[in-house]
Amino acid sequence: MAEAMRRDTDVFIMGEDIAEMGGSMGVTQGMLQEFGAERVRNTPISEMAIVGAGIGAAMQGMRPIVEIMYQDFTTLAMEQIVNQAAKHRYMSGGQLKVPLTIRTQGGAGWSPGAQHAQQLEAWFVHVPGLKVVFPSTPVDARNLLWSSIYDDNPVLFFEHRLLYPIKGEVPEEIEPLEFGTGRVHREGEDVTVVATGRLVHEALKAATEAEADGISVEVWDPRTLLPLDEDGLVDSVRKTSRCVVAHEAVTRMGWGAEVAAIVQERAFDYLDAPIERVGSKFCPLPFAPVMEQFVVPHAVDVLAAIRRAVGRET
């Protein structure tokens, strides 16, 4: 964000407590000092107002980045996101552009309770006109955020709270990443695990454990949920003949259900086993740490699904 703001005066950021405080997760620390209050704007506690102002600025030619403090709070801006940002370019016949980036974070693992840790990405991949990004590594977060800022359409950019401490190598120069380009984190032959966000790392742990049992696991990360790299997904499943889909959102009507539908439509004849799905239990997220850990999925749940897929249930 800072590099985009250094290079382009049309880029600015706004959100709740992003200036002096540096954001609830510290993402914007130091930016007020570098860019000033005109370009690092604290806002009232009104998600609808934040997104609405961002839409207006974007339609006037700027490239705003707005932060919604918790993913749960996008519910308060659904009218602006779904009925305004997503529709203007289409309804104007392309005369209007809405280059708006909506950053938000969520995810369990630190006892935030039922109203501060939901994973709601499935709500937004259902809406034509939006793009939905969910990186799992530092390099992908950096490159995909750059691509989001310079896309002429509204982008929902999801970040998982527990991934902020992760470190990784990034190139000196920012390399924009084309939306709809998946990534193989680990090559495998026996089963493909399609995972997003935190579950990418849980899937990699599960793959290491499965290797001890002689099971070769491919871990595939879509990186962008909309548009989706359907060809990359299908190629991986055709190669391994089995598929597990893993995300932290609840399984019922989750994004993984769409992945399963695409796989059975385009790779049914290649499947040697039913598609397995891993997600949170259908329950509001408990506050108590032990109950929270019971509800959300972990590497052990991915490993169990892998074993079911290859016929080695324990």
Side-chain angles (χ1 to χ4, degrees):
M1 288 189 290
E3 185 60 26
M5 291 174 69
R6 292 181 192 118
R7 298 187 192 186
D8 188 346
T9 57
D10 287 335
V11 179
F12 71 98
I13 58 177
M14 59 182 176
E16 298 165 5
D17 293 330
I18 67 165
E20 291 85 358
M21 180 178 170
S24 63
M25 300 299 157
V27 173
T28 53
Q29 285 181 355
M31 295 184 72
L32 174 66
Q33 290 74 18
E34 180 172 355
F35 301 105
E38 286 293 310
R39 298 183 68 197
V40 182
R41 289 176 169 262
N42 280 334
T43 65
I45 304 175
S46 172
E47 284 72 22
M48 181 174 282
I50 296 167
V51 176
I55 294 169
M59 291 169 63
Q60 289 297 314
M62 303 194 78
R63 294 190 176 274
I65 306 166
V66 302
E67 178 180 301
I68 302 299
M69 189 179 289
Y70 290 89
Q71 187 177 150
D72 314 63
F73 302 164
T74 58
T75 58
L76 297 166
M78 288 294 277
E79 150 63 19
Q80 293 296 320
I81 297 170
V82 172
N83 284 331
Q84 305 304 325
K87 304 294 192 294
H88 285 313
R89 193 170 188 186
Y90 175 81
M91 293 177 67
S92 70
Q95 296 178 80
L96 294 173
K97 297 177 182 178
V98 190
L100 171 66
T101 302
I102 302 171
R103 285 186 48 255
T104 187
Q105 64 82 33
W110 53 296
S111 296
Q115 297 172 326
H116 292 76
Q118 296 175 82
Q119 298 283 271
L120 303 177
E121 62 271 11
W123 291 15
F124 298 102
V125 296
H126 186 69
V127 180
L130 299 178
K131 296 187 178 182
V132 181
V133 177
F134 198 175
S136 64
T137 65
V139 67
D140 286 346
R142 183 180 190 233
N143 295 340
L144 284 168
L145 184 54
W146 188 270
S147 297
S148 299
I149 294 168
Y150 285 98
D151 196 288
D152 287 333
N153 301 282
V155 179
L156 272 293
F157 194 94
F158 290 115
E159 301 166 6
H160 195 289
R161 167 68 175 82
L162 295 190
L163 298 187
Y164 287 135
I166 289 177
K167 297 184 183 297
E169 293 293 328
V170 297
E172 191 69 27
E173 289 294 319
I174 296 173
E175 300 174 356
L177 181 61
E178 183 179 358
F179 289 168
T181 306
R183 173 181 178 182
V184 176
H185 287 270
R186 177 188 175 116
E187 297 275 357
E189 301 295 332
D190 296 327
V191 56
T192 295
V193 178
V194 180
T196 59
R198 179 181 68 86
L199 266 293
V200 170
H201 302 274
E202 297 299 304
L204 289 168
K205 293 175 188 175
T208 299
E209 292 190 44
E211 188 176 32
D213 294 336
I215 304 171
S216 176
V217 179
E218 181 149 302
V219 178
W220 189 83
D221 177 0
R223 301 195 284 198
T224 63
L225 311 187
L226 186 68
L228 175 64
D229 181 6
E230 290 192 21
D231 289 340
L233 165 66
V234 171
D235 286 346
S236 180
V237 175
R238 286 179 175 177
K239 169 187 168 185
T240 65
S241 300
R242 296 175 181 86
C243 182
V244 173
V245 189
H247 52 60
E248 190 177 295
V250 295
T251 307
R252 180 66 58 86
M253 301 298 289
W255 176 80
E258 177 66 16
V259 171
I262 292 168
V263 170
Q264 74 86 23
E265 287 170 2
R266 295 189 54 187
F268 181 79
D269 290 339
Y270 293 82
L271 290 174
D272 290 338
I275 300 165
E276 298 285 341
R277 291 198 288 157
V278 177
S280 288
K281 295 175 174 63
F282 196 66
C283 170
L285 193 70
F287 175 74
V290 66
M291 288 301 295
E292 178 192 48
Q293 293 302 304
F294 172 73
V295 167
V296 300
H298 304 281
V300 64
D301 302 295
V302 180
L303 181 59
I306 290 169
R307 287 174 171 161
R308 288 194 300 270
V310 300
R312 298 194 195 178
E313 294 185 70
T314 58

